[in-house]
Amino acid sequence: MSVSLYYTARRTAPLTGPESAAIARVVTARRASFPYEDEEGLYVYDPRSAEPEVLLDGSTKLPTDPGRLLPVVAHVLDSVTELRRALPDARWHVHLDDLDIEWDEARGYELPGMRDADLAAEPVAAGDARDDTADGGAGLGP
């Protein structure tokens, strides 16, 4: 079962030229800085297929690897934060499936613990512990 982040910006007035350029710059820069080549990062849908008031929308399928989850969430939410700051007068809706992610003027979009290095390391350590016991604890590994 997959979990995704969704992001949408709405406004009655269409994008201006400078706003379109700002969005393109953010999307290009954030895609270039994404940490994993084999995971889905910031994905903005084709604006031509959007509803009339939708300025921008997209989604990101989150990784199933627990060691990659928090870095991907942080990167994508930071990306959406930059996009929101480029379109501050739009109505934004950002959510993780059924969980709305609230906007904080100072910090942007974030989830509790997404920048906690100890929390991010836990799934990796748990995976290492499972690997160590793959031989039943008999010490017969390579």
Side-chain angles (χ1 to χ4, degrees):
M1 182 171 122
S2 68
V3 175
S4 296
L5 275 168
Y6 299 92
Y7 23 94
T8 304
R10 297 177 183 273
R11 183 178 72 196
T12 55
L15 289 173
T16 65
E19 287 173 331
S20 293
I23 288 169
R25 281 192 303 274
V26 170
V27 169
T28 299
R30 297 305 292 181
R31 284 181 179 162
S33 67
F34 189 69
Y36 305 111
E37 232 177 77
D38 58 340
E39 299 289 357
E40 188 173 314
L42 182 68
Y43 184 80
V44 178
Y45 303 145
D46 182 347
R48 294 172 293 184
S49 63
E51 300 169 28
E53 290 189 1
V54 173
L55 300 175
L56 177 145
D57 64 341
S59 66
T60 301
K61 181 180 168 191
L62 297 178
T64 56
D65 178 344
R68 291 185 171 194
L69 179 64
L70 289 179
V72 169
V73 167
H75 193 277
V76 173
L77 288 179
D78 288 348
S79 301
V80 176
T81 293
E82 285 188 44
L83 290 168
R84 179 174 177 143
R85 290 188 171 135
L87 299 172
D89 63 339
R91 294 178 318 278
W92 284 83
H93 184 216
V94 177
H95 57 104
L96 179 66
D97 285 343
D98 294 334
L99 173 69
D100 285 345
I101 300 174
E102 299 297 321
W103 173 253
D104 180 278
E105 196 61 46
R107 295 186 313 262
Y109 290 110
E110 64 180 20
L111 290 173
M114 78 177 196
R115 298 185 202 291
D116 184 334
D118 292 335
L119 183 60
E122 282 182 26
V124 174
D128 290 346
R130 282 192 305 273
D131 292 345
D132 290 345
T133 60
D135 63 0
L140 304 174

